[in-house]
C-alpha cells in the first residue's frame, strides 16, 4: 500500500468497504435453501475458475466462472450467490498463478466480487425492474451487464490509478471487448433456467462442455492477439535498430554528437512521460530524438569538424543540415 498513490489507496479502501457492506447485507438475507444445488454450483464455479486467461496488458485474468454466478443469481438467494462469486474470484486469483497475490490483492478481489454479484442480484430481483419487464432473458442480460460493468470498472479503476493512465481509454482497450462473453453467459444461464423447470438442476452438468468452449474461444482469440502483438513488436524493434544504426553513422560523421544524441533522447523521453504521451507517441518521439541530427550526413566532414569560423560557402552547405 505504501507504494501506491493516495488516490489509489482511497479507491482500494472504498472498494473494500463497499464490498464488505454488501457481504454483511447478503449474510443478513440468508435463508435456508437447496444445499445440494448450492454446493454443485459452487463446485462448478471453482472448477471453471481454473480455466482462466490473462487479459491483454494487465495482470488480471478472466475465466468463465461468471456463468455459474449468473445461474446463482436466478436459482439461489443473495448470500449463496455472493459466496459463489467471492470463492470463485479468490480461486481464480490463486490457482495456477505465476506470482502469488498479496493479501491486499486478495482482499480487493474478494470484496469487488461481493459488490459486483450483490448489485447484479439486486437488479435481477428488483421489484422496480420487474414492474417494467419480467422476461427472464432480458433480466439476465441486464444483470449480466451490471455485473460486467461493476466488475470491470473496479478492476480498471485500480489499474488506471496505479499505472497513471486514463481510465476510459484503458477500459475500452483492455476490458470492453469482454462484454460479448458476459452476454453469452447470460444466454447460457437463461437456457439452463428453462431446463431446470423441466428436468431439474442436475442438468447443469451439460454446461461444463459449453463453459470449456467459452474458455477455448478466449484462449484462441488471445493467442492470436498475442502473436500479432509479437509480430508488431519485432517489426518495431527492427525499425528501432535501423534508426540506431543511422545514429551510429551520424556519430561516425561527428565524434562530438554521441553524447548529444543520448542527452536529447533522455530529455525527450522525460518530456514524453511528463506530458502523458501514449506508448506509440513516445516511441515516435524516441525515434525522432535519435534522428534529429541526421542532416549532418549530407554535410562534408571537414565542414562539420572545422574548429574555426565557417566561410559563406561552407555555411551555405551547413544549412543543408
Amino acid at each position: 500500500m505504501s507504494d501506491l498513490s493516495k488516490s489509489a489507496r482511497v479507491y482500494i479502501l472504498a472498494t473494500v468497504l463497499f464490498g464488505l457492506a454488501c457481504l454483511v447485507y447478503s449474510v443478513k438475507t440468508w435463508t435456508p435453501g437447496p444445499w445440494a444445488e448450492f454446493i454443485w454450483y459452487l463446485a462448478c464455479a471453482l472448477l471453471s475458475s481454473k480455466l482462466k486467461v490473462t487479459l491483454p496488458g494487465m495482470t488480471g485474468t478472466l475465466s468463465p466462472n461468471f456463468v455459474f454466478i449468473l445461474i446463482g443469481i436466478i436459482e439461489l438467494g443473495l448470500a449463496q450467490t455472493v459466496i459463489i462469486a467471492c470463492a470463485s474470484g479468490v480461486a481464480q486469483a490463486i490457482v495456477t498463478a505465476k506470482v502469488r497475490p498479496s493479501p491486499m490483492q486478495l482482499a480487493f478481489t474478494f470484496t469487488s466480487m461481493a459488490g459486483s454479484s450483490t448489485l447484479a442480484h439486486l437488479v435481477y430481483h428488483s421489484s422496480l425492474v420487474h414492474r417494467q419487464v419480467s422476461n427472464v432473458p432480458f433480466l439476465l442480460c441486464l444483470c449480466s451487464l451490471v455485473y460486467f460493468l461493476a466488475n470491470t470498472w473496479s478492476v480498471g479503476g485500480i489499474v488506471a490509478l496505479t499505472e497513471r493512465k486514463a481510465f476510459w481509454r484503458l477500459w475500452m482497450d483492455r476490458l470492453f471487448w469482454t462484454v460479448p462473453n458476459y452476454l453469452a453467459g447470460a444466454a447460457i444461464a437463461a437456457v439452463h433456467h428453462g431446463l431446470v423447470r423441466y428436468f431439474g438442476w442436475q442438468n447443469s452438468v451439460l454446461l461444463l462442455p459449453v463453459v470449456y468452449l467459452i474458455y477455448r474461444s478466449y484462449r484462441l482469440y488471445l493467442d492470436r492477439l498475442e502473436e500479432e502483438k509479437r509480430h508488431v513488436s519485432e517489426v518495431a524493434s527492427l525499425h528501432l535498430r535501423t534508426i540506431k544504426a543511422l545514429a551510429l553513422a551520424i556519430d561516425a560523421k561527428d565524434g562530438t554528437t554521441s553524447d548529444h544524441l543520448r542527452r536529447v533522447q533522455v530529455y525527450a523521453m522525460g518530456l514524453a512521460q511528463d506530458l502523458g504521451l501514449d506508448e506509440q507517441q513516445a516511441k515516435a518521439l524516441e525515434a525522432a530524438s535519435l534522428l534529429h541530427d541526421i542532416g549532418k550526413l549530407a554535410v562534408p566532414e571537414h565542414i562539420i569538424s572545422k574548429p574555426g569560423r565557417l566561410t559563406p560557402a561552407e555555411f551555405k552547405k551547413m544549412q543543408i543540415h
Side-chain angles (χ1 to χ4, degrees), residues 6-83:
K6 182 179 179 180
S7 56
R9 293 197 296 269
V10 170
Y11 184 87
I12 291 174
L13 180 61
T15 302
V16 170
L17 291 177
F18 177 74
L20 289 176
C22 291
L23 186 63
V24 171
Y25 174 75
S26 67
V27 170
K28 288 184 176 181
T29 65
W30 179 278
T31 54
W35 279 99
E37 186 175 0
F38 164 63
I39 292 174
W40 170 248
Y41 293 144
L42 176 61
C44 290
L46 292 173
L47 181 63
S48 62
S49 296
K50 188 177 180 180
L51 304 176
K52 60 184 179 180
V53 294
T54 302
L55 294 170
M58 299 178 67
T59 56
T61 59
L62 180 67
S63 80
N65 60 0
F66 63 85
V67 173
F68 296 99
I69 297 173
L70 294 176
I71 290 175
I73 289 174
I74 310 176
E75 310 296 343
L76 303 173
L78 175 59
Q80 293 94 330
T81 302
V82 171
I83 290 173

Side-chain angles (χ1 to χ4, degrees), residues 132-147:
Q132 304 300 322
V133 60
S134 58
N135 182 272
V136 171
F138 177 83
L139 289 171
L140 265 173
C141 286
L142 180 61
C143 81
S144 68
L145 286 175
V146 170
Y147 178 77

Side-chain angles (χ1 to χ4, degrees), residues 154-174:
S154 64
V155 174
I158 189 59
V159 172
L161 288 172
T162 53
E163 295 185 6
R164 301 182 184 276
K165 294 183 177 179
F167 166 77
W168 186 250
R169 180 185 297 177
L170 182 143
W171 184 77
M172 290 295 293
D173 291 344
R174 303 185 188 181

Side-chain angles (χ1 to χ4, degrees), residues 235-275:
V235 172
S237 177
L238 176 61
H239 289 168
L240 185 60
R241 289 198 300 270
T242 303
I243 291 170
K244 288 182 177 179
L246 287 172
L248 289 175
I250 298 171
D251 181 34
K253 188 83 171 181
D254 181 2
T256 64
T257 306
S258 176
D259 291 341
H260 169 68
L261 283 175
R262 178 59 184 158
R263 285 195 301 272
V264 172
Q265 182 186 23
V266 171
Y267 295 154
M269 291 299 94
L271 286 171
Q273 183 176 0
D274 288 344
L275 292 172

Side-chain angles (χ1 to χ4, degrees), residues 133-304:
V133 60
S134 58
N135 182 272
V136 171
F138 177 83
L139 289 171
L140 265 173
C141 286
L142 180 61
C143 81
S144 68
L145 286 175
V146 170
Y147 178 77
F148 160 75
L149 291 174
N151 195 23
T152 56
W153 281 0
S154 64
V155 174
I158 189 59
V159 172
L161 288 172
T162 53
E163 295 185 6
R164 301 182 184 276
K165 294 183 177 179
F167 166 77
W168 186 250
R169 180 185 297 177
L170 182 143
W171 184 77
M172 290 295 293
D173 291 344
R174 303 185 188 181
L175 295 168
F176 179 72
W177 64 271
T178 61
V179 66
N181 300 292
Y182 285 86
L183 295 177
I188 294 171
V191 172
H192 173 266
H193 178 65
L195 293 175
V196 165
R197 297 175 61 184
Y198 296 100
F199 305 105
W201 60 266
Q202 293 85 353
N203 77 88
S204 57
V205 69
L206 300 176
L207 293 182
L208 297 179
V210 179
V211 169
Y212 181 76
L213 287 176
I214 294 176
Y215 161 74
R216 286 301 300 169
S217 67
Y218 284 167
R219 182 77 274 154
L220 292 174
Y221 171 76
L222 292 178
D223 284 348
R224 185 168 64 251
L225 194 66
E226 189 64 29
E227 182 63 30
E228 292 175 358
K229 183 179 178 181
R230 184 161 47 249
H231 175 70
V232 170
S233 178
E234 290 174 353
V235 172
S237 177
L238 176 61
H239 289 168
L240 185 60
R241 289 198 300 270
T242 303
I243 291 170
K244 288 182 177 179
L246 287 172
L248 289 175
I250 298 171
D251 181 34
K253 188 83 171 181
D254 181 2
T256 64
T257 306
S258 176
D259 291 341
H260 169 68
L261 283 175
R262 178 59 184 158
R263 285 195 301 272
V264 172
Q265 182 186 23
V266 171
Y267 295 154
M269 291 299 94
L271 286 171
Q273 183 176 0
D274 288 344
L275 292 172
L277 301 186
D278 60 33
E279 184 179 0
Q280 185 177 3
Q281 292 172 324
K283 287 183 177 179
L285 186 58
E286 182 182 17
S289 69
L290 290 171
L291 291 176
H292 81 278
D293 262 340
I294 194 172
K296 287 186 176 181
L297 294 177
V299 182
E301 184 178 353
H302 73 276
I303 296 177
I304 291 177

